[in-house]
Amino acid sequence: MRLVLLGPPGAGKGTQAEVLSRSHKIPAISTGDILREKIKDGSEIGKEAKKYVESGALVPDAVVIKMVKERLRSDDARAGFILDGFPRTVAQAEALDKVLNELRITLDAVLYFETSTAVILERLTGRRVCPKCRRNYHIKNIPPKRDNVCDDCGVQLIQRKDDTEDTIRRRLKVYEEETAPLVEYYEGKGSLKRVSGDLDVEELNSIIGKMFKG
Ligand code: AP5
């Protein structure tokens, strides 16, 4: 299975990518997670990316495209992958077309998570993340078993720096301007499939599961 998950911040792309990755035994490739790892490591790319990620702006195309190209060429992506948060601009989509062509593979679909703004704000302000394994929680919708502690790692959960209300609104604006045009781009290629990001995790997962059965 080779999928792109497209949708606004907070649509639930990362959550579904994780579930699909486990059930299909293929990597979920999140450019946001890769960038946050690089920021944590203090690498050169991380230093450059920090100001963009934390303010809700997009990291320059050239940086992200290089990262994804390398990742798609790694052995574990041969059997399939789920791209979460990439592409995010038309230039990134064109670069992805090129690399898929070089690898002689095609996407099964681009899943577009249509999600309302009220749901996005509620989800992102309530999101908590494990700094060790990166598992996502939500204080109300998907709470950990012990208050603010990761079920798997036992470490204290944190709030992402870009999950404040002002930065979320900036990310939504950037999404509308830079990423929303990809809906038309992939519709034109006949690969776009729409799902409702407003649904709860299990319901949405069951709908996606049925789309790719057999
Ligand atoms: P990134 O990490 O990709 O963030 P995003 O796209 O803004 O997406 P989110 O992670 O906020 O939302 P999501 O849709 O994955 O939702 P999630 O499943 O977590 O990017 C961060 C930054 O990195 C960007 O702003 C940019 O600076 C940079 N960047 C990344 N990629 C880039 C690129 N290609 N080009 C340039 N720059 C790039 O869910 C959200 C919350 O809701 C969680 O708490 C979750 O538990 C809960 N939840 C999820 N699904 C449900 C549900 N169905 N019902 C109820 N609650 C739910």
Side-chain angles (χ1 to χ4, degrees), residues 105-150:
I105 53 178
T106 52
L107 292 173
D108 292 304
V110 174
L111 276 189
Y112 170 41
F113 289 52
E114 290 180 290
T115 316
S116 60
T117 306
V119 166
I120 290 170
L121 285 173
E122 195 264 337
R123 282 190 191 162
L124 291 185
T125 49
R127 171 163 58 187
R128 298 294 180 273
V129 187
C130 173
K132 197 168 169 204
C133 71
R134 298 197 300 245
R135 185 166 165 187
N136 260 325
Y137 297 87
H138 187 278
I139 49 173
K140 277 194 234 139
N141 306 337
I142 312 168
K145 291 185 188 117
R146 273 170 57 207
D147 198 27
N148 214 41
V149 172
C150 178

Side-chain angles (χ1 to χ4, degrees), residues 22 24 39 50 90 127-128 139 147 193-194 203 212:
R22 259 184 261 130
H24 286 76
I39 293 171
K50 193 173 192 294
V90 171
R127 171 163 58 187
R128 298 294 180 273
I139 49 173
D147 198 27
K193 288 185 195 286
R194 291 167 190 264
E203 219 178 336
F212 298 102

Side-chain angles (χ1 to χ4, degrees), residues 10-166:
K13 306 179 299 292
T15 303
Q16 293 299 327
E18 230 178 77
V19 181
L20 288 166
S21 163
R22 259 184 261 130
S23 59
H24 286 76
K25 297 185 176 49
I26 51 175
I29 302 174
S30 155
T31 41
D33 280 347
I34 299 173
L35 288 165
R36 280 183 290 277
E37 277 302 310
K38 293 195 183 293
I39 293 171
K40 208 163 113 192
D41 293 349
S43 66
E44 279 312 308
I45 293 182
K47 282 181 198 154
E48 192 191 341
K50 193 173 192 294
K51 57 179 183 290
Y52 298 102
V53 174
E54 290 182 358
S55 69
L58 291 186
V59 172
D61 285 336
V63 174
V64 187
I65 289 169
K66 185 164 181 280
M67 265 171 25
V68 173
K69 272 189 183 169
E70 284 170 12
R71 188 65 187 84
L72 289 180
R73 288 177 193 280
S74 46
D75 284 349
D76 70 334
R78 276 204 199 142
F81 53 79
I82 300 146
L83 276 172
D84 159 22
F86 182 94
R88 248 172 154 105
T89 62
V90 171
Q92 291 181 17
E94 288 168 353
L96 177 62
D97 288 345
K98 206 164 154 223
V99 69
L100 294 176
N101 235 337
E102 284 163 14
L103 293 169
R104 296 177 194 281
I105 53 178
T106 52
L107 292 173
D108 292 304
V110 174
L111 276 189
Y112 170 41
F113 289 52
E114 290 180 290
T115 316
S116 60
T117 306
V119 166
I120 290 170
L121 285 173
E122 195 264 337
R123 282 190 191 162
L124 291 185
T125 49
R127 171 163 58 187
R128 298 294 180 273
V129 187
C130 173
K132 197 168 169 204
C133 71
R134 298 197 300 245
R135 185 166 165 187
N136 260 325
Y137 297 87
H138 187 278
I139 49 173
K140 277 194 234 139
N141 306 337
I142 312 168
K145 291 185 188 117
R146 273 170 57 207
D147 198 27
N148 214 41
V149 172
C150 178
D151 293 350
D152 298 331
C153 308
V155 301
Q156 286 284 319
L157 303 179
I158 55 163
Q159 186 168 23
R160 268 171 49 175
K161 286 213 170 99
D162 57 348
D163 276 349
T164 57
E165 193 157 338
D166 277 355

